[in-house]
Amino acid sequence: MTNPTRHSTVPIVLPPPPETDPAPVDGCAGCAELVNVRERARAVGDLSSVTDCNIYLRRHPEGHQ
């Protein structure tokens, strides 16, 4: 039988993601809108929406090929 830990353990500190925000494709209205939504979300601290926009932008260029 093991003894439970009776003290707090040191928190794990994760590094920030190494990636930068994906760039929009020039001349694409869809990319431009995603960038606008991302900027508005970042301005109000909605980092979940910022992440969503980044994911959509990373996937979106598939339609440009």
Coordinates of all heavy atoms in Angstrom, one line a residue:
M1 N 0.9 -1.2 0.0 CA 0.0 0.0 0.0 C 0.9 1.2 0.0 O 1.9 1.3 0.7 CB -0.9 0.0 1.2 CG -1.9 1.0 1.3 SD -3.0 0.6 2.6 CE -4.0 1.9 2.6
T2 N 0.5 2.2 -0.8 CA 1.3 3.4 -0.9 C 0.7 4.5 0.0 O -0.5 4.5 0.2 CB 1.5 3.9 -2.3 OG1 0.2 4.2 -2.8 CG2 2.1 2.9 -3.2
N3 N 1.5 5.5 0.4 CA 1.1 6.6 1.2 C 0.7 7.7 0.2 O 1.5 8.0 -0.7 CB 2.1 7.1 2.1 CG 2.4 6.0 3.2 OD1 1.5 5.3 3.6 ND2 3.6 5.9 3.7
P4 N -0.4 8.4 0.4 CA -0.8 9.5 -0.4 C 0.1 10.7 -0.2 O 0.7 10.8 0.9 CB -2.2 9.8 0.0 CG -2.4 9.3 1.3 CD -1.4 8.1 1.4
T5 N 0.3 11.5 -1.2 CA 1.1 12.7 -1.1 C 0.4 13.7 -0.2 O -0.8 14.0 -0.4 CB 1.4 13.3 -2.4 OG1 2.0 12.3 -3.2 CG2 2.3 14.6 -2.4
R6 N 1.0 14.2 0.8 CA 0.4 15.1 1.7 C 0.8 16.6 1.5 O 0.5 17.5 2.3 CB 0.8 14.8 3.2 CG 0.4 13.4 3.5 CD -0.9 13.4 4.2 NE -1.2 12.0 4.7 CZ -2.4 11.5 4.5 NH1 -3.4 12.1 4.0 NH2 -2.6 10.2 4.9
H7 N 1.5 16.9 0.4 CA 1.9 18.2 0.1 C 1.7 18.5 -1.4 O 1.5 17.6 -2.2 CB 3.4 18.4 0.5 CG 4.3 17.4 -0.2 ND1 4.6 17.5 -1.5 CD2 4.9 16.3 0.3 CE1 5.4 16.5 -1.8 NE2 5.6 15.8 -0.7
S8 N 1.7 19.8 -1.7 CA 1.5 20.1 -3.1 C 2.8 19.8 -3.9 O 3.9 20.0 -3.4 CB 1.2 21.6 -3.2 OG 0.0 21.9 -2.5
T9 N 2.6 19.4 -5.1 CA 3.8 19.2 -5.9 C 4.0 20.4 -6.8 O 3.1 21.3 -6.9 CB 3.5 18.0 -6.9 OG1 2.4 18.2 -7.7 CG2 3.3 16.7 -6.1
V10 N 5.2 20.6 -7.3 CA 5.6 21.7 -8.1 C 4.8 21.7 -9.4 O 4.7 20.6 -10.0 CB 7.1 21.7 -8.3 CG1 7.5 22.9 -9.2 CG2 7.9 21.7 -7.0
P11 N 4.2 22.8 -9.8 CA 3.4 22.8 -11.0 C 4.3 22.6 -12.2 O 5.4 23.0 -12.2 CB 2.7 24.2 -11.0 CG 3.5 25.0 -10.1 CD 4.1 24.1 -9.1
I12 N 3.7 22.0 -13.2 CA 4.5 21.8 -14.5 C 4.3 23.1 -15.3 O 3.1 23.6 -15.5 CB 3.9 20.6 -15.3 CG1 4.1 19.3 -14.5 CG2 4.6 20.5 -16.6 CD1 3.5 18.1 -15.0
V13 N 5.4 23.7 -15.8 CA 5.3 24.9 -16.6 C 5.5 24.5 -18.0 O 6.6 24.0 -18.4 CB 6.3 25.9 -16.1 CG1 6.3 27.2 -17.0 CG2 6.1 26.3 -14.6
L14 N 4.5 24.7 -18.8 CA 4.7 24.4 -20.3 C 5.1 25.6 -21.0 O 4.7 26.7 -20.8 CB 3.3 23.9 -20.8 CG 2.7 22.7 -20.2 CD1 1.3 22.4 -20.7 CD2 3.6 21.5 -20.4
P15 N 6.0 25.4 -22.0 CA 6.4 26.6 -22.8 C 5.3 27.0 -23.8 O 4.4 26.2 -24.1 CB 7.6 26.0 -23.6 CG 7.3 24.5 -23.7 CD 6.6 24.2 -22.4
P16 N 5.3 28.3 -24.2 CA 4.3 28.7 -25.1 C 4.5 28.0 -26.5 O 5.6 27.5 -26.8 CB 4.6 30.2 -25.3 CG 6.0 30.4 -24.8 CD 6.3 29.3 -23.9
P17 N 3.4 27.9 -27.2 CA 3.5 27.2 -28.5 C 4.6 27.9 -29.4 O 4.6 29.2 -29.4 CB 2.2 27.3 -29.1 CG 1.3 27.9 -28.1 CD 2.1 28.4 -27.0
P18 N 5.4 27.2 -30.1 CA 6.4 27.8 -30.9 C 5.9 28.5 -32.2 O 6.6 29.2 -32.8 CB 7.4 26.7 -31.2 CG 6.5 25.5 -31.2 CD 5.5 25.8 -30.2
E19 N 4.7 28.2 -32.5 CA 4.2 28.7 -33.8 C 3.7 30.1 -33.7 O 3.3 30.6 -32.7 CB 3.0 27.8 -34.2 CG 3.3 26.4 -34.3 CD 2.0 25.5 -34.5 OE1 1.0 26.1 -34.7 OE2 2.1 24.3 -34.3
T20 N 3.8 30.8 -34.8 CA 3.2 32.1 -34.9 C 1.8 32.0 -35.6 O 1.5 30.9 -36.1 CB 4.1 33.0 -35.8 OG1 4.2 32.4 -37.1 CG2 5.5 33.2 -35.2
D21 N 1.1 33.0 -35.6 CA -0.2 33.0 -36.2 C -0.1 32.7 -37.7 O 0.8 33.3 -38.4 CB -1.0 34.3 -36.0 CG -1.5 34.5 -34.6 OD1 -1.6 33.5 -33.9 OD2 -1.7 35.6 -34.2
P22 N -0.9 31.9 -38.3 CA -0.8 31.6 -39.7 C -1.2 32.9 -40.5 O -2.1 33.6 -40.1 CB -1.8 30.5 -40.0 CG -2.7 30.5 -38.8 CD -2.0 31.1 -37.7
A23 N -0.5 33.1 -41.6 CA -0.8 34.2 -42.5 C -1.9 33.9 -43.5 O -2.1 32.8 -43.9 CB 0.5 34.6 -43.3
P24 N -2.7 34.9 -43.8 CA -3.8 34.7 -44.8 C -3.3 34.7 -46.2 O -2.2 35.2 -46.5 CB -4.7 36.0 -44.6 CG -3.8 37.0 -44.1 CD -2.7 36.3 -43.2
V25 N -4.0 34.1 -47.1 CA -3.7 34.1 -48.5 C -4.1 35.4 -49.1 O -5.2 35.9 -48.9 CB -4.4 32.9 -49.2 CG1 -4.2 33.0 -50.7 CG2 -3.9 31.6 -48.7
D26 N -3.2 36.1 -49.8 CA -3.5 37.4 -50.4 C -4.7 37.3 -51.3 O -4.7 36.4 -52.1 CB -2.3 38.0 -51.1 CG -1.1 38.4 -50.2 OD1 -1.4 38.7 -49.0 OD2 0.0 38.4 -50.6
G27 N -5.6 38.3 -51.2 CA -6.7 38.4 -52.1 C -7.9 37.4 -51.8 O -8.9 37.4 -52.5
C28 N -7.8 36.7 -50.7 CA -8.9 35.8 -50.3 C -9.8 36.4 -49.2 O -9.3 36.7 -48.1 CB -8.3 34.5 -49.8 SG -9.6 33.3 -49.2
A29 N -11.0 36.6 -49.6 CA -12.0 37.2 -48.6 C -12.2 36.4 -47.4 O -12.4 36.9 -46.3 CB -13.3 37.5 -49.3
G30 N -12.2 35.1 -47.6 CA -12.4 34.2 -46.4 C -11.2 34.3 -45.4 O -11.5 34.3 -44.2
C31 N -10.0 34.3 -45.9 CA -8.9 34.4 -45.1 C -8.9 35.8 -44.4 O -8.6 35.9 -43.2 CB -7.6 34.3 -45.9 SG -7.1 32.7 -46.4
A32 N -9.2 36.8 -45.1 CA -9.3 38.2 -44.5 C -10.3 38.2 -43.4 O -10.1 38.8 -42.3 CB -9.6 39.2 -45.6
E33 N -11.5 37.6 -43.6 CA -12.5 37.6 -42.5 C -12.0 36.8 -41.3 O -12.2 37.3 -40.2 CB -13.8 37.0 -43.0 CG -14.9 37.0 -42.0 CD -15.3 38.3 -41.5 OE1 -15.1 39.4 -42.1 OE2 -15.8 38.4 -40.3
L34 N -11.3 35.7 -41.5 CA -10.8 35.0 -40.3 C -9.8 35.8 -39.6 O -9.8 35.7 -38.3 CB -10.2 33.6 -40.8 CG -11.2 32.5 -41.2 CD1 -10.5 31.4 -41.9 CD2 -11.9 32.1 -40.0
V35 N -9.0 36.5 -40.3 CA -8.0 37.4 -39.6 C -8.7 38.5 -38.8 O -8.3 38.8 -37.7 CB -7.0 38.0 -40.6 CG1 -6.1 39.1 -40.0 CG2 -6.1 36.9 -41.2
N36 N -9.8 39.1 -39.4 CA -10.5 40.1 -38.7 C -11.2 39.5 -37.4 O -11.1 40.2 -36.3 CB -11.6 40.7 -39.6 CG -11.0 41.6 -40.6 OD1 -9.9 42.1 -40.5 ND2 -11.7 41.7 -41.8
V37 N -11.8 38.4 -37.5 CA -12.4 37.7 -36.3 C -11.3 37.4 -35.3 O -11.5 37.7 -34.1 CB -13.1 36.4 -36.7 CG1 -13.6 35.7 -35.5 CG2 -14.3 36.8 -37.6
R38 N -10.2 36.9 -35.7 CA -9.1 36.6 -34.8 C -8.6 37.9 -34.1 O -8.4 37.8 -32.8 CB -7.9 36.0 -35.6 CG -6.7 35.6 -34.7 CD -5.6 35.0 -35.5 NE -5.0 35.9 -36.4 CZ -4.2 35.5 -37.4 NH1 -3.9 34.2 -37.6 NH2 -3.7 36.4 -38.2
E39 N -8.5 39.0 -34.8 CA -8.0 40.2 -34.1 C -9.0 40.7 -33.1 O -8.7 41.2 -32.0 CB -7.7 41.3 -35.2 CG -6.5 41.0 -36.0 CD -6.3 41.9 -37.2 OE1 -7.1 42.8 -37.4 OE2 -5.3 41.8 -37.9
R40 N -10.3 40.7 -33.5 CA -11.4 41.1 -32.5 C -11.4 40.2 -31.3 O -11.6 40.7 -30.2 CB -12.7 41.1 -33.2 CG -12.9 42.2 -34.2 CD -14.3 42.4 -34.7 NE -15.0 41.2 -35.2 CZ -15.0 40.8 -36.5 NH1 -14.4 41.6 -37.4 NH2 -15.6 39.7 -36.9
A41 N -11.2 38.9 -31.5 CA -11.2 37.9 -30.4 C -10.0 38.2 -29.5 O -10.2 38.2 -28.2 CB -11.2 36.5 -30.9
R42 N -8.9 38.4 -30.1 CA -7.7 38.7 -29.2 C -7.9 40.0 -28.5 O -7.4 40.1 -27.3 CB -6.5 38.8 -30.1 CG -5.2 39.0 -29.3 CD -3.9 38.8 -30.2 NE -3.7 37.4 -30.4 CZ -3.4 36.8 -31.6 NH1 -3.3 37.6 -32.6 NH2 -3.2 35.6 -31.6
A43 N -8.5 41.0 -29.0 CA -8.7 42.3 -28.4 C -9.5 42.2 -27.1 O -9.3 42.9 -26.2 CB -9.3 43.3 -29.3
V44 N -10.4 41.2 -27.1 CA -11.3 41.0 -25.9 C -10.8 39.9 -25.0 O -11.5 39.5 -24.1 CB -12.8 40.9 -26.3 CG1 -13.3 42.1 -26.9 CG2 -13.0 39.6 -27.1
G45 N -9.7 39.3 -25.4 CA -9.1 38.2 -24.5 C -9.8 36.8 -24.8 O -9.6 35.9 -23.9
D46 N -10.5 36.7 -25.9 CA -11.1 35.4 -26.2 C -10.1 34.5 -26.9 O -10.1 34.3 -28.1 CB -12.3 35.6 -27.0 CG -13.1 34.3 -27.3 OD1 -12.7 33.3 -26.9 OD2 -14.2 34.4 -28.0
L47 N -9.2 33.9 -26.2 CA -8.1 33.1 -26.8 C -8.6 31.8 -27.4 O -8.0 31.2 -28.3 CB -7.0 32.9 -25.8 CG -6.3 34.1 -25.2 CD1 -5.2 33.8 -24.2 CD2 -5.8 35.0 -26.3
S48 N -9.7 31.3 -26.9 CA -10.3 30.1 -27.6 C -10.7 30.4 -29.0 O -10.4 29.6 -29.9 CB -11.5 29.7 -26.8 OG -12.2 28.6 -27.4
S49 N -11.3 31.5 -29.2 CA -11.7 31.9 -30.6 C -10.5 32.2 -31.5 O -10.4 32.0 -32.7 CB -12.6 33.1 -30.6 OG -13.9 32.7 -30.1
V50 N -9.4 32.8 -30.8 CA -8.2 33.1 -31.6 C -7.6 31.7 -32.1 O -7.2 31.6 -33.2 CB -7.1 33.8 -30.6 CG1 -5.8 33.8 -31.3 CG2 -7.6 35.2 -30.3
T51 N -7.6 30.7 -31.2 CA -7.1 29.4 -31.6 C -8.0 28.8 -32.7 O -7.4 28.2 -33.6 CB -7.1 28.5 -30.3 OG1 -6.2 29.0 -29.4 CG2 -6.6 27.1 -30.7
D52 N -9.3 28.9 -32.6 CA -10.2 28.4 -33.6 C -9.9 29.1 -35.0 O -9.8 28.4 -36.0 CB -11.6 28.7 -33.2 CG -12.1 27.8 -32.1 OD1 -11.4 26.8 -31.7 OD2 -13.2 28.1 -31.5
C53 N -9.7 30.4 -35.0 CA -9.4 31.1 -36.2 C -8.1 30.6 -36.8 O -7.9 30.4 -38.0 CB -9.4 32.6 -36.0 SG -11.0 33.3 -35.7
N54 N -7.1 30.4 -35.9 CA -5.8 29.9 -36.4 C -5.9 28.5 -37.0 O -5.3 28.2 -38.1 CB -4.8 29.9 -35.3 CG -4.3 31.3 -35.0 OD1 -4.4 32.2 -35.8 ND2 -3.7 31.4 -33.8
I55 N -6.7 27.7 -36.4 CA -6.9 26.3 -37.0 C -7.6 26.4 -38.4 O -7.2 25.8 -39.3 CB -7.8 25.5 -36.0 CG1 -6.9 25.1 -34.8 CG2 -8.3 24.2 -36.7 CD1 -7.7 24.5 -33.7
Y56 N -8.7 27.3 -38.4 CA -9.4 27.4 -39.7 C -8.4 28.0 -40.8 O -8.5 27.6 -41.9 CB -10.6 28.3 -39.6 CG -11.7 27.7 -38.7 CD1 -12.4 28.5 -37.8 CD2 -12.0 26.4 -38.8 CE1 -13.4 27.9 -37.0 CE2 -13.0 25.8 -38.1 CZ -13.7 26.6 -37.2 OH -14.7 26.1 -36.4
L57 N -7.6 28.9 -40.4 CA -6.7 29.5 -41.4 C -5.6 28.5 -41.8 O -5.3 28.4 -43.0 CB -5.9 30.7 -40.8 CG -6.7 32.0 -40.8 CD1 -6.0 33.1 -39.9 CD2 -6.7 32.6 -42.3
R58 N -5.2 27.6 -40.9 CA -4.2 26.6 -41.3 C -4.9 25.6 -42.3 O -4.2 25.1 -43.2 CB -3.7 25.9 -40.1 CG -2.6 26.7 -39.4 CD -1.9 25.8 -38.3 NE -1.2 26.7 -37.5 CZ -1.6 27.2 -36.3 NH1 -2.8 26.9 -35.8 NH2 -0.9 28.1 -35.6
R59 N -6.1 25.3 -42.1 CA -6.8 24.3 -43.0 C -7.4 25.0 -44.2 O -7.5 24.3 -45.2 CB -8.0 23.7 -42.2 CG -7.6 22.8 -41.1 CD -8.8 22.3 -40.4 NE -8.4 21.4 -39.3 CZ -9.3 20.9 -38.4 NH1 -10.6 21.2 -38.5 NH2 -8.8 20.2 -37.4
H60 N -7.6 26.2 -44.2 CA -8.3 27.0 -45.3 C -7.4 26.9 -46.6 O -8.0 26.8 -47.7 CB -8.6 28.4 -44.9 CG -9.3 29.2 -45.9 ND1 -10.6 28.9 -46.3 CD2 -8.9 30.2 -46.8 CE1 -11.0 29.8 -47.3 NE2 -9.9 30.5 -47.6
P61 N -6.1 27.1 -46.5 CA -5.4 27.1 -47.8 C -5.5 25.9 -48.7 O -5.3 25.9 -49.9 CB -3.9 27.2 -47.3 CG -4.0 27.9 -46.0 CD -5.3 27.4 -45.4
E62 N -6.0 24.8 -48.1 CA -6.3 23.6 -48.9 C -7.3 23.9 -50.1 O -7.2 23.3 -51.1 CB -6.8 22.5 -48.1 CG -5.9 22.0 -47.0 CD -6.5 21.0 -46.0 OE1 -7.7 20.7 -46.1 OE2 -5.7 20.5 -45.2
G63 N -8.1 24.9 -49.8 CA -9.1 25.3 -50.9 C -8.5 26.2 -51.9 O -9.1 26.4 -53.0
H64 N -7.3 26.7 -51.7 CA -6.6 27.5 -52.7 C -5.7 26.8 -53.7 O -5.2 27.4 -54.6 CB -5.7 28.6 -51.9 CG -6.5 29.5 -51.1 ND1 -7.3 30.5 -51.6 CD2 -6.7 29.6 -49.7 CE1 -7.9 31.2 -50.7 NE2 -7.6 30.7 -49.5
Q65 N -5.5 25.5 -53.5 CA -4.7 24.8 -54.3 C -5.3 24.3 -55.6 O -6.4 24.2 -55.8 CB -4.1 23.5 -53.6 CG -3.3 24.0 -52.4 CD -2.8 22.7 -51.6 OE1 -3.1 21.6 -51.9 NE2 -2.2 23.0 -50.5

